[in-house]
């Protein structure tokens, strides 16, 4: 409730006569709501959220069990509620009413889809979300740097996987400028992204990304909107839940201007199941959380951690939480008793009660509280009774939720995911271009090989034909030579035949002529004997002379 511009949330004292307030000027000094299960933390959270909304301060909170959805409709009157109202003396001031609320759901089932982009999440938070070790986180940061240098947008998980694969396939091109990148590490990161997609992470990363300023809306009556993130499913994915909530805080820090200590906060952020934020956080992430919590105060944002035990919150963070609301704690083990004493020691002692004992005896809806006074000094511990909420206690129906979602302007703005050209599409185009170039090169090489083969075949055929032609020519030459020899032989044979005949004729004729001449000469000089001698000598001489002449004319 709001009373005199103060957040009136509880009463204390004999007969509940004293009002307890949270000063809006000190609300950005952060705080916590702790207590065992069933002690009334949700009621306290609702009362504070409703009060901030009435003051025009928007609220962001996570709904782990679904019972915060009742803020969207007025509370239901009952006998027990009437008794509570009377007990606090609220008959004149209490009014059942609804509060302007927007439902969000990373998975888009119980609210408007809530998304961010890979680039906006950044490598450090994403590494936490993926559960990467330091070496893998460093490689992821290098991949982000390469994407920035090459102006490749990383919007969704397929963009990041494509970028990682591209770097892995071209490690040699990047190592000289960016250092050693192990392909096995790239593969491990890709595997972690696939596991995150299996948890629904692919629905969380994409466009349109949430505009953080949409959380600062007010309704026509000036009430701040209560932005409710359905976390019933998300809470089972602690890394994603933690990374997202811390991302929102980081974005708020980046977007909001410095305001110091305003009259009332710009926004109040309730981080339910806060132990999930710290259980698996690396030293680097813890340093980031501590830095954000310290510095975001100056941006006018109050952060309130809701958890079962103050021991869930590291001391460095607890030191930043000035507004304390501690419901009942259970202390059955030595560790729990130690946590109990630590919780009691965090309060300024009130001589009216033993804080350690009272923390174990508090009933449902009771708490020990300590707020900052006007000077920013913690007040002494008070035994408080938390006021009842004015909105509906419990879960709304699916029909009521669906109607509220469809009526929201945010749903119209963010319901449909879009997929603009980003790293995935550009890298796919690069791969297609390389493939086309490789195919063109292979085709050219194949064509060159075919041409070379055809040339070799032609040369081989020409050589074969030349050999066959030479062989044929040689054969024809041999046959011609053979024919010529045969003709020559035949001609010679004819000549020899003619020559022999002529020779024989001439020889015979020459012998006859010679004989007759010799006979005549011999008869003149020698009578009968002379004839005979002259005949033989003449014949021989005739044949000799004609033989010589024949040789000359042959």
């Amino acid at each position: 409730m709001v009373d005199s511009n103060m957040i009136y949330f509880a009463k204390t004292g004999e007969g509940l006569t004293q009002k307890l307030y949270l000063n809006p000027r000190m609300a950005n000094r952060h705080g916590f709501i702790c207590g065992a299960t069933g002690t009334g933390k949700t009621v306290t959270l609702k009362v504070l959220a409703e009060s901030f909304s009435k003051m025009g301060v928007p609220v962001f909170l996570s709904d782990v069990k679904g019972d915060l959805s009742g803020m969207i409709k007025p509370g239901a009157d009952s006998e027990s509620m009437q008794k509570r109202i009377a007990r606090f003396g609220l008959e004149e001031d209490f009014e059942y009413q609804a509060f302007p609320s927007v439902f969000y759901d990373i998975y888009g089932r119980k609210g408007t889809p809530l998304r961010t982009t890979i680039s906006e999440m950044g490598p450090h938070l994403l590494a936490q979300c993926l559960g990467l070790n330091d070496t893998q986180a460093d490689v992821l940061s290098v991949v982000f740097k390469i994407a920035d240098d090459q102006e490749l947008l990383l919007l969704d998980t397929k963009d990041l996987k494509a970028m990682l694969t591209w770097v892995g396939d071209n490690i040699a091109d990047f190592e000289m400028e960016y250092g050693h990148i192990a392909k096995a590490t790239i593969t491990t990161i890709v595997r972690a992204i696939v596991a995150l997609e299996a948890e629904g992470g692919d629905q969380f990363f994409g466009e349109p990304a949430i505009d953080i300023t949409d959380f600062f809306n007010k309704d026509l009556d000036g009430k701040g909107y209560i932005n409710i993130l359905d976390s019933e499913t998300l809470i089972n994915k602690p890394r994603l839940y933690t990374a997202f909530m811390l991302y929102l805080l980081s974005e708020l820090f980046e977007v909001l201007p410095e305001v110091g200590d305003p009259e009332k906060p710009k926004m109040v952020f309730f981080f339910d199941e806060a132990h999930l934020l710290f259980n698996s956080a690396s030293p680097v992430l813890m340093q980031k959380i501590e830095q954000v919590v310290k510095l975001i105060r100056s941006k006018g944002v109050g952060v309130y951690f809701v958890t079962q035990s103050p021991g869930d919150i590291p001391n460095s963070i607890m030191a930043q939480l000035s507004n304390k609301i501690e419901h009942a704690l259970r202390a059955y083990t030595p560790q729990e008793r130690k946590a109990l004493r630590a919780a009691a020691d965090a309060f300024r002692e009130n001589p009216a009660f033993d804080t350690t004992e009272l923390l174990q005896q508090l009933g449902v809806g009771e708490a020990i509280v300590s707020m900052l006074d006007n000077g920013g000094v913690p007040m002494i511990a008070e035994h408080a009774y938390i006021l009842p909420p004015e909105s509906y206690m419990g879960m709304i129906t699916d029909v009521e939720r669906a109607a509220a979602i469809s009526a929201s302007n945010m749903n119209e703005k963010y319901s449909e995911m879009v997929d603009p050209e980003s790293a995935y599409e550009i890298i796919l185009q690069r791969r297609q271009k390389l493939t086309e170039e490789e195919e063109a090169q292979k085709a050219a090489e194949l064509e060159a090989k075919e041409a070379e083969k055809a040339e070799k075949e032609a040369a081989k055929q020409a050589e074969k034909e030349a050999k066959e032609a030479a062989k044929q020519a040689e054969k024809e030459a041999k046959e011609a030579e053979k024919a010529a020899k045969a003709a020559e032989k035949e001609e010679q044979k004819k000549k020899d035949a003619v020559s022999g005949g002529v020779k024989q004729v001439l020889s015979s004729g020459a012998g006859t002529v010679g004989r007759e001449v010799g006979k005549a000469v011999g008869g003149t000089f020698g009578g009968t004997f002379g004839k005979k001698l002259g005949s033989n000598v003449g014949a021989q001489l005739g044949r000799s002379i004609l033989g010589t002449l024949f040789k000359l004319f042959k």
Side-chain angles (χ1 to χ4, degrees), residues 3-4 136 148 154 165 185 258 260 263 279 290 354 376 401 481 505 511 551:
D3 181 19
S4 302
Q136 294 158 356
D148 286 342
L154 300 178
T165 304
T185 303
E258 293 278 344
E263 291 299 315
N279 283 352
E290 183 177 348
D354 183 322
R401 181 186 289 268
E481 182 181 2
V505 172
K551 289 180 180 180

Side-chain angles (χ1 to χ4, degrees), residues 388-408:
E390 295 177 316
S391 62
Y392 182 75
M393 281 296 298
M395 300 174 63
I396 60 175
T397 67
D398 291 341
V399 174
E400 290 171 326
R401 181 186 289 268
I405 294 170
S406 62
S408 170

Side-chain angles (χ1 to χ4, degrees), residues 293-313:
V293 172
K294 282 182 178 179
L295 299 180
I296 204 170
R297 178 192 66 79
S298 64
K299 303 299 182 85
V301 176
V303 180
Y304 289 75
F305 295 96
V306 184
T307 187
Q308 293 189 11
S309 169
D312 296 334
I313 304 173

Side-chain angles (χ1 to χ4, degrees), residues 131-199:
L132 304 182
N133 60 32
D134 291 343
T135 300
Q136 294 158 356
D138 289 343
V139 170
L140 185 63
S141 296
V142 169
V143 172
F144 268 70
K145 180 67 167 63
I146 295 172
D148 286 342
D149 292 345
Q150 298 197 1
E151 297 182 347
L152 296 172
L153 289 176
L154 300 178
L155 301 180
D156 51 31
T157 53
K158 71 177 186 300
D159 285 332
L160 184 56
K161 287 192 297 183
M163 190 69 209
L164 286 161
T165 304
W166 177 259
V167 172
D169 291 342
N170 300 275
I171 285 177
D173 298 334
F174 297 113
E175 283 191 329
M176 288 300 295
E177 183 174 356
Y178 299 96
H180 176 66
I181 303 171
K183 192 160 187 176
T185 303
I186 293 286
T187 303
T188 300
I189 298 173
V190 171
R191 189 166 57 245
I193 294 171
V194 172
L196 182 66
E197 289 177 330
E199 294 182 352

